[in-house]
Amino acid sequence: HTDLSTLTGYTVCDIERGALGEITAIDTSTLNTLVQLNSGALLPLHEDFIVELREADKQIIIRAPQGLI
């Protein structure tokens, strides 16, 4: 299990839509962890969405559910 605070600076990429933005803040105060992207968007980061964590590339590859983005 990754310490989520270490993901600041990672780029979130959707498997179908490509790069969504860089993580600038992480909110773990709610039931679902939210990441704020440099675009200002808030995105729930649920383990079911994560396809791959590429630490060498500082990328999180996700498959976002329909309608989330």
Side-chain angles (χ1 to χ4, degrees):
H1 189 283
T2 303
D3 176 10
L4 293 175
S5 66
T6 65
L7 298 178
T8 300
Y10 274 59
T11 299
V12 177
C13 299
D14 180 73
I15 203 151
E16 294 178 8
R17 295 171 189 85
L20 302 177
E22 183 179 309
I23 297 174
T24 57
I26 299 171
D27 179 0
T28 57
S29 66
T30 60
L31 187 60
N32 292 313
T33 297
L34 296 172
V35 294
Q36 183 167 359
L37 303 180
N38 59 349
S39 64
L42 284 173
L43 191 68
L45 194 62
H46 193 278
E47 62 187 28
D48 290 349
F49 301 163
I50 298 173
V51 175
E52 184 180 354
L53 182 62
R54 297 180 182 162
E55 293 185 45
D57 297 327
K58 294 191 79 161
Q59 291 182 331
I60 301 170
I61 310 304
I62 66 165
R63 184 184 309 275
Q66 195 70 22
L68 182 66
I69 301 172

